[in-house]
């Protein structure tokens, strides 16, 4: 299906607002003047904590939900006014346990959706087979979905989203609840899809995932966009708030640590100390120092999403 | 029963929790407007056949049979208890607890007996008035304890079925529906046992409802002699199924623990 | 559109295979037949056996419309595939229609079943005196039944707790629909209400097709069934629109 001529972006979101009015409760502004663009072939991360509005935005873009105001286009087609043209272009991969017919086999699920995505009859089975192979479910294809593990269901979700050969894919927290190995495999698949020229919007609350997979990352919280960053700057932000926890360091050593450039602070409690560092260099210097002095109980950890947000807002004087 | 006081306490709590669950499904309005309308319609449906046959005797026979049937029906719904527990994830907890699961089940679902009694007597009264069923006073009061007996007896049978269904959760709906209609067919609800082939009539004597219904019909007809005997038989049948349940339930739970069917396997 | 309908048909057939509970009505119909036939025989009116055999078919039919139909959209809601359907290029109503069509056609098996039970199990062969009327009645009934099923499908997902009321809308309709005892024997004030239920027209016509006497007003009575069916479809179509609207406008009915 041809794009609207002259439209360079795959996804355009323009001042979208979405208000929910639940029964007997005050209205909720799930999305507040959200704007962003995604280039064709880009893997774009949508990073935010639970309740930030990620799923709401994904639903609007996938024509499931109408925006209260504002505009959104997929390959130049308006999601509200040109829904018919948008739907064949997109693939939806919602996460979790639901969204599949559990008493059907994987193959039956895929063939059903293949028909609904208007695949010519002769293509339905071959494509289902190819996708099952691709996501590694070929040998379990005849088993009922209710027997599947979380990771397997997630892979089936991805296969389902691809049955229509979507140009633009929406992935909503696809690796939640997956074990690290399965999550890594999944991300590899996402990379392959990018290589095929598909545009991908990945909604997640996992910073590491956003940093590893995406070309750009938009941070969202309480329905508002905070910033759009490259993974590199995201990574720098994360290292800004890294910390090193050590055991058994004496006061003299800790004074030396404090003197290192880039060390923001040292908190002590009994024999433990938490060292806050600002840069990768500082981190390396601290580690080298404590290890050289014979300290072996050393642990580093990354900041939480909240800490990164707070830091970001503090930095830029942004209001949230 | 080694600790009767403790057992009673367990039963009291179990009954209260069951009653609470039940109260959250129905309010007075929805019970009357929803459930009670249905039970009245059920009895009316069958009573009307008597009108088709142009016989008051037939009308009253069908009316009484189907009204009393309601008590047994609700009692037999005890068979759903296992699935209700399984769905809330409490079945495996129950199996792991030191209390005898039968005791807990029996108490938890016993609101069904009370509801069945209310439905049954209410239908008898209301539909009875509509069809001018003779309700001879004061002996008609005997119908109340007899109906309670039928409900309790059905409940014992239902609890036994609940045990069997621990391992066959898929069959729950089938057993429930087909089971109830089978009772409706065989226990003298719509036609007397004599109308059936002898082997069928024989089997019917060993399930709940059959004897209790005969007792109730005798009361209404003024034939009080055999009532005590039939009531005794109904009680015996109920206790026998309860006994069978107590004996087998534990085994089903153990099997369930072994093959994992106690879990919320959805 | 057609592909959507076919996809719905195929899905419903697979679901029928996977859920044995679906066939409960076909299991209980023979029992009901036994009950009703025994009642009329014991009452000395074996000539009413036709009535007794036909009634269980309507009980089954109603179950199919109520439960299977009623579950069609709601089950999608519970498995959270509803939103996925709204996002797909194929019309959601088309898929639902396909599923309802399957429910209706499988439901028609009820008539075949009771006829077989009557003939072979109870030795009560039912002579079809007016086969044309019978066929037309069955077709019209199937149409009205599909409308009912579609109506239930939408109602159950739009109205909170509607599904818990399914227990209550069986017997009242057996009485109002005159499926065993003809509406003419009901009290006068009930009869107009009964006439709004398509079952009453269907049951009357079906019984008439089994008796030797000529069938009066066939055209009018068939038209009533079709009319009630069409009205049902119109309401159901509106409800269907509301379902999709509710998903897209309010975000209710969707993923939690």
């Amino acid at each position: 299906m041809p794009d609207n001529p002259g439209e360079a972006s795959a996804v355009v979101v323009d001042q979208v607002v979405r208000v929910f009015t639940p029964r007997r409760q005050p209205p909720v502004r799930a999305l507040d003047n959200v704007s962003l663009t995604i280039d064709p072939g880009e893997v774009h991360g949508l990073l935010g904590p639970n309740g930030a509005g990620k799923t709401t935005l994904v639903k609007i873009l996938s024509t499931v939900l109408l925006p209260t105001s504002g505009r959104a286009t997929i390959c130049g087609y308006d999601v509200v006014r040109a829904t018919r043209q948008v739907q064949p272009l997109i693939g939806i991969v919602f996460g979790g346990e639901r969204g599949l017919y559990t008493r059907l086999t994987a193959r039956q699920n895929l063939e059903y959706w293949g028909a609904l995505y208007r695949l010519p009859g002769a293509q339905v089975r071959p494509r289902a087979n190819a996708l099952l192979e691709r996501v590694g479910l070929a040998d379990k294809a005849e088993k009922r979905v209710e027997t599947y593990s979380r990771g397997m269901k997630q892979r089936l979700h991805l296969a389902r989203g691809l049955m229509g050969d979507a140009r633009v894919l929406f992935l909503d927290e696809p690796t939640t609840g997956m074990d690290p190995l399965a999550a890594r495999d999944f991300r590899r698949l996402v990379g392959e899809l990018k290589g095929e020229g598909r545009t991908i919007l990945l909604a997640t609350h996992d910073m590491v995932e956003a940093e590893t997979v995406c070309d750009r990352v938009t941070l969202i919280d309480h329905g508002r966009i905070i910033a759009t960053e490259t993974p590199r700057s995201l990574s720098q932000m994360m290292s800004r708030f890294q910390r090193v926890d050590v055991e058994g360091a004496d006061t003299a050593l800790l004074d030396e640590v404090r003197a290192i450039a880039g060390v923001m602070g040292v908190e002590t409690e009994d024999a433990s100390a938490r060292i806050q560092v600002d840069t990768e260099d500082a981190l390396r210097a601290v580690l080298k120092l404590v290890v050289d002095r014979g300290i072996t109980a050393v642990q580093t950890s990354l900041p939480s999403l909240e800490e990164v947000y707070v830091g970001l807002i503090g930095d830029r004087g942004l209001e949230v | 029963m080694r600790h009767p006081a403790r057992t009673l306490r367990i039963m009291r709590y179990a009954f209260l929790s069951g009653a609470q669950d039940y109260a959250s499904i129905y309010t007075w309005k929805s019970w009357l407007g929803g459930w009670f309308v249905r039970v009245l319609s059920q009895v009316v449906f069958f009573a009307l056949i008597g009108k088709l046959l142009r016989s008051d005797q037939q009308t009253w026979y069908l009316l009484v049979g189907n009204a009393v049937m309601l008590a047994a029906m609700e009692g037999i719904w005890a068979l759903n208890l296992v699935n209700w527990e399984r769905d809330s994830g409490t079945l495996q907890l129950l199996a792991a607890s030191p209390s005898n699961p039968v005791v807990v089940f029996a108490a938890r679902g016993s609101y069904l007996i009370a509801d069945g009694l209310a439905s049954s007597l209410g239908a008898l009264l209301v539909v009875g008035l509509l069809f001018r069923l003779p309700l001879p006073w004061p002996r008609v009061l005997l119908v109340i304890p007899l109906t309670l007996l039928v409900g309790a007896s059905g409940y014992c049978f239902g609890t036994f079925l609940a045990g069997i269904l621990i391992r066959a959760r898929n069959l729950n709906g089938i057993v429930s529906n087909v089971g109830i209609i089978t009772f409706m067919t065989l226990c003298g609800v719509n036609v007397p046992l004599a109308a059936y082939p002898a082997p069928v009539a024989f089997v019917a004597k060993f399930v709940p409802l059959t004897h209790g219904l005969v007792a109730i019909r005798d009361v209404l007809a003024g034939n009080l002699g055999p009532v005590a005997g039939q009531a005794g038989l109904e009680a015996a049948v109920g206790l026998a199924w309860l006994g069978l349940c107590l004996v087998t339930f534990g085994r089903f739970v153990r099997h369930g623990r072994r093959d994992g069917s106690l879990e919320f396997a959805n | 559109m057609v592909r959507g309908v076919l996809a719905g048909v195929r899905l419903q057939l697979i679901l029928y295979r996977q859920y044995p509970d679906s066939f409960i009505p076909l299991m209980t119909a023979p029992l009901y037949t036994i009950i009703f036939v025994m009642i009329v025989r014991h009452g000395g009116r074996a000539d009413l056996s036709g009535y007794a055999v036909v009634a269980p078919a309507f009980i089954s039919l109603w179950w199919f419309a109520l439960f299977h139909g009623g579950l069609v959209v709601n089950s999608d809601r519970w498995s959270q595939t509803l939103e996925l359907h709204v996002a797909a290029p194929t019309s959601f109503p088309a898929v639902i229609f396909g599923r309802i069509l399957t429910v209706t056609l499988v439901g028609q098996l009820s008539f075949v079943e009771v006829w077989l039970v009557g003939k072979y199990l109870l030795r009560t062969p039912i002579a079809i005196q007016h086969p044309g009327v019978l066929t037309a009645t069955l077709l019209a009934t199937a149409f009205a039944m599909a409308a009912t099923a579609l109506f239930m499908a939408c109602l159950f997902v739009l109205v909170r707790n509607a599904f818990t009321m399914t227990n209550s809308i069986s017997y009242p309709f057996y009485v109002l629909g005159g499926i065993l005892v003809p509406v003419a024997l009901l009290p006068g004030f009930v009869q107009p209400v009964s006439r709004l239920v398509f079952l009453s027209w269907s049951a009357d016509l079906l019984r008439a097709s089994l008796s030797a006497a000529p069938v009066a007003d066939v055209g009018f009575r068939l038209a009533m069934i079709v009319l009630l069916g069409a009205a049902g479809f119109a309401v159901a179509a509106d409800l269907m629109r509301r379902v999709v609207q509710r998903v897209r406008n309010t975000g209710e009915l969707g993923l939690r």
Side-chain angles (χ1 to χ4, degrees):
Chain A
M1 191 161 286
D3 287 352
N4 243 356
E7 188 56 63
S9 304
V11 178
V12 176
V13 180
D14 184 21
Q15 301 280 76
V16 162
V17 174
R18 173 70 215 194
V19 179
F20 287 108
T21 45
R23 240 174 265 255
R24 285 181 242 133
Q25 280 169 55
V28 174
R29 211 169 169 86
L31 289 175
D32 193 1
N33 286 308
V34 167
S35 302
L36 69 91
T37 54
I38 305 179
D39 299 327
E42 181 186 347
V43 178
H44 195 102
L46 190 61
L47 180 65
N50 287 331
K54 307 190 293 296
T55 301
T56 307
L57 183 60
V58 169
K59 284 196 195 182
I60 289 177
L61 291 173
S62 50
T63 74
V64 169
L65 196 61
L66 293 172
T68 309
S69 69
R71 224 180 142 245
T73 62
I74 308 278
C75 298
Y77 294 105
D78 190 302
V79 298
V80 175
R81 284 193 285 267
T83 314
R84 283 279 148 86
Q85 283 89 328
V86 168
Q87 287 174 336
L89 299 173
I90 60 180
I92 308 171
V93 182
F94 288 153
E97 297 290 318
R98 308 300 184 101
L100 295 166
Y101 288 109
T102 51
R103 290 259 184 128
L104 269 58
T105 65
R107 171 166 292 124
Q108 283 168 338
N109 268 282
L110 289 183
E111 289 181 354
Y112 175 69
W113 290 105
L116 292 194
Y117 274 85
R118 304 222 198 110
L119 251 60
Q123 277 186 35
V124 172
R125 183 154 283 215
R127 182 170 302 178
N129 283 334
L131 284 171
L132 286 165
E133 187 72 50
R134 183 167 194 183
V135 299
L137 289 173
D139 54 343
K140 299 273 196 328
E142 308 304 334
K143 292 246 159 65
R144 300 209 286 210
V145 170
E146 62 188 356
T147 63
Y148 278 18
S149 70
R150 179 68 180 257
M152 290 163 75
K153 282 183 192 163
Q154 201 53 56
R155 283 185 272 155
L156 184 56
H157 276 300
L158 184 62
R160 194 205 75 83
L162 289 169
M163 273 306 279
D165 201 22
R167 302 269 305 279
V168 180
L169 277 172
F170 298 108
L171 278 63
D172 192 2
E173 313 247 21
T175 56
T176 309
M178 270 187 169
D179 65 77
L181 275 173
R184 201 194 55 193
D185 279 339
F186 194 88
R187 288 178 207 140
R188 187 184 43 78
L189 271 169
V190 173
E192 279 179 24
L193 293 169
K194 175 191 154 91
E196 290 163 12
R198 301 181 207 265
T199 308
I200 298 170
L201 176 63
L202 172 69
T204 178
H205 62 258
D206 184 340
M207 273 188 299
V208 174
E209 176 165 87
E211 191 228 337
T212 342
V213 174
C214 303
D215 297 321
R216 280 191 301 159
V217 179
T218 294
L219 287 91
I220 184 172
D221 192 23
H222 289 100
R224 298 210 202 134
I225 306 272
I226 301 182
T228 300
E229 304 286 337
T230 61
R232 198 182 138 83
S233 52
L234 189 64
S235 167
Q236 279 171 350
M237 263 178 251
M238 291 195 288
S239 56
R240 277 194 53 191
F241 297 96
Q242 278 190 89
R243 18 181 194 257
V244 185
D245 293 322
V246 296
E247 298 267 331
D250 59 30
T251 330
L253 176 55
L254 290 175
D255 285 337
E256 281 191 61
V257 167
R258 280 197 190 88
I260 297 175
V263 169
M264 302 306 291
V266 179
E267 293 161 20
T268 54
E269 190 177 312
D270 301 329
S272 321
R274 171 163 278 194
I275 305 160
Q276 208 86 29
V277 293
D278 200 7
T279 61
E280 284 283 344
D281 289 338
L283 178 67
R284 245 177 275 126
V286 168
L287 287 173
K288 187 174 191 319
L289 181 62
V290 301
V291 169
D292 279 349
R293 294 300 164 83
I295 307 286
T296 52
V298 178
Q299 191 178 322
T300 62
S301 56
L302 287 172
S304 68
L305 193 56
E306 285 69 36
E307 286 172 306
V308 168
Y309 274 24
V310 167
L312 206 57
I313 292 159
D315 261 7
R316 306 188 181 185
L318 288 172
E319 294 204 0
V320 180
Chain B
M1 222 188 289
R2 259 174 283 150
H3 299 276
R6 193 189 299 166
T7 308
L8 279 173
R9 202 179 339 131
I10 293 172
M11 290 180 75
R12 199 183 108 228
Y13 279 117
F15 171 73
L16 286 173
S17 80
Q20 188 103 332
D21 277 350
Y22 178 66
S24 68
I25 305 174
Y26 280 120
T27 62
W28 277 117
K29 273 191 289 187
S30 64
W31 192 87
L32 281 173
W35 174 250
F36 196 55
V37 166
R38 171 249 160 91
V39 307
L40 287 181
S41 310
Q42 185 167 335
V43 180
V44 164
F45 177 79
F46 283 96
L48 276 174
I49 307 178
K51 287 281 171 228
L52 183 65
L53 298 172
R54 294 199 204 122
S55 157
D56 278 343
Q57 290 303 322
Q58 286 283 18
T59 305
W60 295 332
Y61 191 89
L62 293 162
L63 202 169
V64 171
N66 282 281
V68 175
M69 162 87 215
L70 294 171
M73 180 177 85
E74 291 209 43
I76 293 172
W77 278 348
L79 67 88
N80 286 311
L81 284 173
V82 168
N83 264 355
W84 291 337
E85 297 289 343
R86 198 198 320 253
D87 284 346
S88 21
T90 42
L91 183 59
Q92 42 189 341
L93 300 176
L94 207 59
S97 79
S99 312
N100 185 337
V102 178
V103 168
V104 178
F105 268 137
R108 221 166 121 63
S110 47
Y111 66 82
L112 285 169
I113 303 179
D115 195 86
L117 184 66
S119 305
S120 190
L121 293 177
L124 197 60
L125 196 63
V126 174
V127 183
L129 279 170
L130 279 175
F131 285 85
R132 288 185 286 272
L133 173 75
L135 292 171
W137 184 268
R139 69 171 187 265
V140 73
L141 289 175
L142 280 175
V143 172
I144 301 177
L146 286 171
T147 309
L148 182 63
L149 181 60
V150 168
S153 163
Y155 189 76
C156 294
F157 184 69
T159 317
F160 167 73
L161 286 178
I164 298 185
L165 287 172
I166 286 181
R167 306 190 56 211
R169 99 161 292 195
N170 281 339
L171 294 181
N172 203 66
I174 295 175
V175 171
S176 178
N177 282 282
V178 176
I180 302 281
I181 312 291
T182 307
F183 268 73
M184 213 186 262
T185 317
L186 298 180
C187 297
V189 173
N190 296 295
V191 289
L193 283 189
Y196 283 93
V200 175
F202 182 72
V203 170
K205 296 204 170 104
F206 291 92
V207 294
L209 181 60
T210 312
H211 296 288
L213 188 50
V214 170
I216 291 173
R217 291 194 201 278
D218 280 342
V219 164
L220 290 173
N223 186 17
L224 294 176
V227 172
Q230 290 295 333
L233 281 171
E234 181 73 41
V237 167
L239 285 171
W241 286 107
L242 183 64
L244 195 60
C245 172
L246 283 167
V247 164
T248 56
F249 209 92
R251 183 176 317 150
F252 292 134
V253 170
R254 274 197 298 279
H255 277 226
R257 235 188 244 143
R258 211 180 299 152
D259 66 14
S261 53
L262 294 185
E263 288 195 82
F264 180 39
N266 199 1
Chain C
M1 171 82 68
V2 175
R3 297 214 59 206
V5 171
L6 286 176
V9 169
R10 230 174 289 128
L11 176 66
Q12 190 65 31
L13 286 173
I14 297 177
L15 289 173
Y16 270 143
R17 269 207 303 277
Q18 295 296 344
Y19 286 94
D21 274 14
S22 312
F23 297 109
I24 287 176
L26 297 179
M27 291 183 214
T28 54
L31 291 169
Y32 276 118
T33 315
I34 294 173
I35 293 177
F36 298 146
V37 168
M38 292 206 70
I39 294 176
V40 301
R41 276 189 194 161
H42 181 72
R45 293 292 306 277
D47 59 300
L48 292 175
S49 295
Y51 287 40
V53 170
V54 158
F58 284 107
I59 294 180
S60 291
L61 208 67
W62 196 250
W63 177 292
F64 272 95
L66 195 63
F67 286 107
H68 299 184
L71 269 178
V72 164
V73 182
N74 233 359
S75 59
D76 272 332
R77 184 182 174 192
W78 294 333
S79 57
Q80 292 181 5
T81 44
L82 188 55
E83 289 189 320
L84 296 176
H85 277 98
V86 169
T90 305
S91 148
F92 182 48
V95 176
I96 296 298
F97 180 74
R99 290 183 66 176
I100 297 287
L101 187 66
T102 309
V103 168
T104 308
L105 289 174
V106 174
Q108 299 307 302
L109 288 176
S110 315
F111 288 106
V112 177
E113 193 193 12
V114 298
W115 187 84
L116 288 171
V117 169
K119 180 158 183 193
Y120 293 107
L121 189 66
L122 293 165
R123 315 297 159 112
T124 313
I126 306 302
I128 302 170
Q129 305 286 358
H130 305 276
V133 174
L134 180 82
T135 314
T137 307
L138 288 178
L139 284 172
T141 305
F143 175 72
M145 187 207 142
T148 310
L150 190 62
F151 173 76
M152 298 293 182
C154 301
L155 186 73
F156 286 175
V157 82
L158 286 171
V159 177
R160 233 166 243 255
N161 297 329
F163 198 68
T164 55
M165 300 301 264
T166 49
N167 223 354
S168 318
I169 37 183
S170 51
Y171 276 100
F173 279 86
Y174 302 161
V175 174
L176 283 176
I179 63 172
L180 180 52
V181 176
V183 169
L185 286 176
L186 296 177
F189 67 93
V190 169
Q191 295 197 18
V193 180
S194 285
R195 287 313 181 188
L196 290 174
V197 181
F198 79 88
L199 288 175
S200 63
W201 301 94
S202 293
D204 272 348
L205 261 182
L206 209 61
R207 284 189 288 259
S209 74
L210 301 178
S211 81
V215 186
D217 299 321
V218 178
F220 169 68
R221 290 152 89 175
L222 282 173
M224 281 309 297
I225 303 175
V226 173
L227 195 67
L228 288 168
F233 267 119
V235 175
D238 181 65
L239 290 182
M240 181 89 258
R241 198 183 43 80
R242 277 175 210 255
V243 169
V244 179
Q245 213 177 49
R246 220 190 258 197
V247 172
R248 301 187 84 208
N249 280 359
T250 66
E252 287 175 32
L253 308 180
L255 288 166
R256 270 152 236 126

